[in-house]
Amino acid sequence: LKEFIETTGCDGVIRIYGNLCSSNHFGTNYYYELMELAEKEWDKEIEYRGKNKLYYQEYELMDIFSHLIKTFSALQSMHFTHRDINPQNIMKANGRWKICDFGNSKILKRDGIIIQKIRGSEIFMSPIVFKGYHSGVQSIRHNTFKSDVFSLGMCFFLAASLNYDALNVIREIYD
């Protein structure tokens, strides 16, 4: 995966410089990644702004949105799906908003429609994934590219409202 991301030339992805897996004498395994230093974590920025009622200006949201849309467009054109889009996996590094944490990601051979295990952060899940999650199924058939787009939209809704309760209202409307 690291090699795939590096060969894409996509500058909207946090760079991974190396990784290490080690274990302690109790048999616990630890996985470390050395990655590009981020100056901001989007989830923490949203939380700070929400507590202080510092709403984003339209141009600020459009800047974040344009960076991430370009990145997703490039990744999806290479059949790459993230499957866990949420503000914790978006950071600002070198003045650019970037995507990180590719632990649930997948490179697809087809059009994005796959049968997959339920993945993602519940509040940001697309309706079909959310419904599958709450019905207790282990796998669902859906278009993971569309689910990534939905999850990104939920991130922007959160950033615009600075209110997690607003995301829950959307879920209640859907249910």
Side-chain angles (χ1 to χ4, degrees):
L1 182 59
K2 176 183 177 289
E3 291 79 21
F4 174 80
I5 291 170
E6 287 174 353
T7 60
T8 64
C10 186
D11 62 352
V13 172
I14 290 284
R15 297 284 173 231
I16 300 169
Y17 299 115
N19 51 48
L20 171 69
C21 187
S22 66
S23 58
N24 64 17
H25 59 280
F26 297 111
T28 304
N29 292 321
Y30 296 94
Y31 182 77
Y32 303 94
E33 278 188 340
L34 178 61
M35 56 189 225
E36 183 176 14
L37 179 63
E39 51 220 51
K40 286 186 183 178
E41 299 172 55
W42 202 23
D43 65 319
K44 290 188 174 55
E45 179 174 309
I46 290 170
E47 182 180 330
Y48 174 81
R49 284 175 173 259
K51 285 179 182 173
N52 296 289
K53 304 286 189 232
L54 299 170
Y55 291 94
Y56 283 97
Q57 297 293 313
E58 186 176 330
Y59 74 90
E60 292 174 301
L61 285 174
M62 291 308 295
D63 180 56
I64 297 168
F65 191 65
S66 65
H67 283 189
L68 295 175
I69 291 299
K70 287 175 188 172
T71 300
F72 275 100
S73 178
L75 292 175
Q76 287 188 2
S77 71
M78 293 178 277
H79 307 285
F80 189 91
T81 180
H82 189 281
R83 303 191 308 169
D84 189 18
I85 298 302
N86 65 70
Q88 289 180 326
N89 293 335
I90 298 171
M91 299 183 176
K92 191 170 192 177
N94 295 317
R96 183 173 173 85
W97 289 98
K98 299 183 179 194
I99 301 164
C100 64
D101 189 359
F102 292 87
N104 288 321
S105 62
K106 191 171 184 89
I107 301 168
L108 304 176
K109 302 282 187 225
R110 300 184 348 213
D111 57 5
I113 299 174
I114 63 170
I115 297 173
Q116 73 165 57
K117 290 183 179 178
I118 304 283
R119 301 266 190 247
S121 301
E122 182 179 354
I123 195 73
F124 298 98
M125 287 178 175
S126 68
I128 192 166
V129 176
F130 184 79
K131 185 178 178 182
Y133 176 77
H134 279 279
S135 66
V137 297
Q138 297 297 312
S139 304
I140 57 167
R141 183 178 191 275
H142 74 112
N143 186 317
T144 59
F145 296 143
K146 289 182 179 182
S147 290
D148 277 353
V149 170
F150 182 89
S151 297
L152 185 60
M154 291 293 275
C155 291
F156 280 99
F157 188 75
L158 173 62
S161 68
L162 299 178
N163 185 341
Y164 275 94
D165 290 337
L167 300 181
N168 290 320
V169 169
I170 290 174
R171 290 294 179 206
E172 290 170 12
I173 292 170
Y174 174 75
D175 289 345

